[in-house]
C-alpha cells in the first residue's frame, strides 16, 4: 500500500506542473495588459508601467515567470494581485472557506439523498417508484444550474419570501443552504441514476444469489454484499465530482451573491489577473488530485478483492 501511495504521489507531479503551466500559457496569450489597465481611460506613463512590470517580474519570459511562481509556491507565496497589491494567499484565505462550505452542503446532499434514492430505485426496478425517481432525476439533469438558481431565487425569495434572495453572510451555513441545494442538484441526479444502475446490475450477481440462498436477512444482503460492491463506480464519480462542485460553484455564487472562489475568479478574469487565477486553479488542482487518491484507496475498503501491492 505504501509503495502504491508513493507511486501515485509521484504521478501527481507532472499533472500538477502541466495544469498550472497550461493556465500560465493561456493567461499569457490573452489580449490586453493588466498593468496598463490600472490607469483606466487615462493615458498611462510608460516609465511607471515598465517599473511595475519589472517589480512584478512581468517583463521576464513566460517560462521564467512560471519557474519563479513554482519556487514561491513551495515557500507559501502565491504571488501578488496587480490591481490591489494584495497577496493572493490572502484572497485564497478569504474565498476558499466560503466555497468549501458551499461544496460540503452540496456534497452531503448528494450522498445522503442521492445514494438512498438510487438504492430504492434499483431495488424496485421497473415499478412506479423507480419510474418516478427516473423522471425527477431526468428533470434535474435537463435544467441548467443557472436556470434552477434563478427559479429558486425568484420563487422562494421574491414570491414566497421564505429566504433572502441573496446571501448576506457568506460564512453562515443557514444562508448557504439554498445555494448548496441548487449546486448539488445535478450531482444528486447523476449519483441516483448511477447507483440505481449499479444496484440493478449487481442484484443478478452470483454472490447476491448465494447470500439470499443462505437465508441471510435482506438488510444484510443489501447493505453488506450488494451495496458495497455497487458503490465502487459511485465513489469514483464522487471523487471527480468533489472538484467539479467547487468549480461549478462559480455560477451559483454569482446568482446568490456568495463571496467565494467564483467571485474572485470572475473579477480576476475581468482584470486579467493571471497570478490570482493561477493561484485559485492551483488549489483546485490539488483538491482534485487528493480526492482521486482517496477514491483509489477506498476501492480496497469497499471490495476486499482489490489489493495494492
Amino acid at each position: 500500500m505504501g509503495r502504491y501511495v508513493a507511486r501515485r504521489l509521484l504521478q501527481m507531479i507532472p499533472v500538477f506542473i502541466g495544469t498550472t503551466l497550461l493556465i500560465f500559457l493561456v493567461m499569457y496569450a490573452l489580449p490586453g495588459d493588466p498593468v496598463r489597465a490600472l490607469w483606466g481611460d487615462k493615458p498611462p506613463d510608460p516609465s511607471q508601467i515598465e517599473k511595475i512590470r519589472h517589480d512584478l517580474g512581468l517583463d521576464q519570459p513566460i517560462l521564467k515567470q512560471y519557474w519563479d511562481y513554482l519556487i514561491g509556491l513551495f515557500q507559501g507565496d502565491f504571488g501578488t494581485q496587480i490591481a490591489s497589491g494584495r497577496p493572493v494567499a490572502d484572497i485564497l484565505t478569504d474565498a476558499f472557506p466560503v466555497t468549501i462550505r458551499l461544496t460540503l452542503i452540496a456534497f452531503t446532499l448528494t450522498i445522503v439523498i442521492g445514494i438512498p434514492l438510487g438504492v430504492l430505485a434499483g431495488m424496485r426496478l421497473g415499478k412506479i417508484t423507480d419510474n418516478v425517481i427516473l423522471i425527477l432525476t431526468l428533470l434535474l439533469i435537463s435544467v441548467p444550474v443557472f436556470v434552477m438558481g434563478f427559479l429558486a431565487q425568484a420563487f422562494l425569495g421574491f414570491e414566497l419570501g421564505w429566504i433572502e434572495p441573496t446571501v448576506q453572510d457568506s460564512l453562515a451555513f443557514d444562508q448557504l443552504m439554498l445555494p448548496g441545494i441548487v449546486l448539488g442538484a445535478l450531482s444528486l441526479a447523476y449519483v441516483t441514476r448511477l447507483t440505481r444502475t449499479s444496484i440493478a446490475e449487481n442484484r443478478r450477481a452470483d454472490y447476491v444469489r448465494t447470500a439470499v440462498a443462505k437465508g441471510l436477512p435482506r438488510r444484510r444482503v443489501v447493505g453488506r454484499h450488494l451495496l458495497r460492491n455497487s458503490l465502487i463506480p459511485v465513489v469514483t464519480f464522487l471523487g471527480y465530482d468533489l472538484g467539479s462542485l467547487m468549480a461549478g460553484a462559480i455560477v451559483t455564487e454569482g446568482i446568490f451573491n456568495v463571496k467565494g472562489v467564483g467571485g474572485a475568479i470572475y473579477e480576476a478574469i475581468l482584470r486579467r489577473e493571471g497570478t490570482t487565477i493561477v493561484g485559485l486553479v492551483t488549489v483546485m488542482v490539488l483538491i482534485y488530485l487528493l480526492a482521486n487518491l482517496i477514491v483509489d484507496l477506498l476501492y480496497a475498503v469497499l471490495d476486499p478483492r482489490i489489493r495494492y501491492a
Side-chain angles (χ1 to χ4, degrees):
M1 178 70 77
R3 184 178 301 174
Y4 172 79
V5 174
R7 186 167 65 248
R8 285 303 306 271
L9 291 175
L10 291 176
Q11 291 173 355
M12 291 179 182
I13 297 176
V15 175
F16 174 79
I17 294 176
T19 306
T20 51
L21 178 59
L22 179 62
I23 297 298
F24 242 92
L25 295 177
V26 169
M27 295 307 303
Y28 183 78
L30 289 178
D33 188 347
V35 178
R36 187 179 297 273
L38 296 176
W39 275 264
D41 297 332
K42 299 179 181 180
D45 185 352
S47 61
Q48 292 184 2
I49 290 180
E50 291 303 322
K51 182 179 184 305
I52 295 176
R53 290 178 59 85
H54 178 74
D55 293 340
L56 296 175
L58 298 178
D59 56 346
Q60 300 291 332
I62 185 62
L63 294 180
K64 178 64 166 56
Q65 294 182 40
Y66 178 71
W67 175 255
D68 292 340
Y69 172 76
L70 286 182
I71 297 299
L73 188 64
F74 288 111
Q75 299 174 356
D77 181 13
F78 286 83
T80 303
Q81 194 176 53
I82 297 176
S84 63
R86 186 183 179 193
V88 176
D90 293 346
I91 300 175
L92 295 173
T93 303
D94 294 339
F96 259 95
V98 176
T99 300
I100 288 175
R101 282 176 168 84
L102 189 62
T103 303
L104 285 178
I105 294 174
F107 195 71
T108 303
L109 176 75
T110 300
I111 295 176
V112 173
I113 299 180
I115 293 179
L117 282 180
V119 173
L120 180 61
M123 296 301 295
R124 298 180 176 273
L125 197 65
K127 298 182 180 179
I128 186 172
T129 303
D130 177 38
N131 293 329
V132 170
I133 292 176
L134 284 179
I135 293 174
L136 291 177
T137 53
L138 181 60
L139 180 63
L140 292 177
I141 293 174
S142 303
V143 180
V145 174
F146 65 90
V147 174
M148 190 180 304
F150 280 121
L151 289 176
Q153 189 180 49
F155 184 70
L156 299 178
F158 293 107
E159 293 293 333
L160 299 179
W162 290 355
I163 62 169
E164 290 291 336
T166 57
V167 174
Q168 305 300 322
D169 183 4
S170 298
L171 293 176
F173 270 102
D174 56 338
Q175 297 191 31
L176 292 177
M177 285 302 298
L178 182 61
I181 293 174
V182 172
L183 177 63
L186 180 62
S187 299
L188 185 150
Y190 279 125
V191 166
T192 300
R193 297 174 75 92
L194 183 60
T195 306
R196 169 191 177 272
T197 303
S198 187
I199 289 288
E201 180 180 353
N202 286 314
R203 280 182 64 187
R204 300 187 294 267
D206 292 337
Y207 65 86
V208 175
R209 294 173 182 167
T210 302
V212 173
K214 290 169 61 177
L216 296 178
R218 179 182 177 86
R219 179 178 299 179
R220 186 174 181 182
V221 172
V222 175
R224 185 175 179 84
H225 298 277
L226 179 58
L227 185 59
R228 283 184 61 179
N229 290 278
S230 300
L231 282 181
I232 292 179
V234 179
V235 169
T236 303
F237 174 82
L238 289 175
Y240 163 79
D241 189 56
L242 182 61
S244 299
L245 286 174
M246 297 196 68
I250 296 175
V251 177
T252 309
E253 289 177 4
I255 295 174
F256 292 95
N257 192 35
V258 180
K259 304 299 183 181
V261 174
I265 290 181
Y266 179 72
E267 292 179 0
I269 292 175
L270 290 181
R271 299 173 180 173
R272 199 176 175 269
E273 290 278 0
T275 306
T276 305
I277 296 175
V278 173
L280 295 170
V281 172
T282 298
V283 179
M284 286 187 176
V285 170
L286 291 175
I287 293 175
Y288 262 112
L289 295 176
L290 181 60
N292 287 329
L293 177 61
I294 294 175
V295 165
D296 288 344
L297 297 179
L298 282 177
Y299 287 162
V301 177
L302 294 173
D303 190 347
R305 295 172 297 180
I306 300 177
R307 288 292 181 265
Y308 299 113

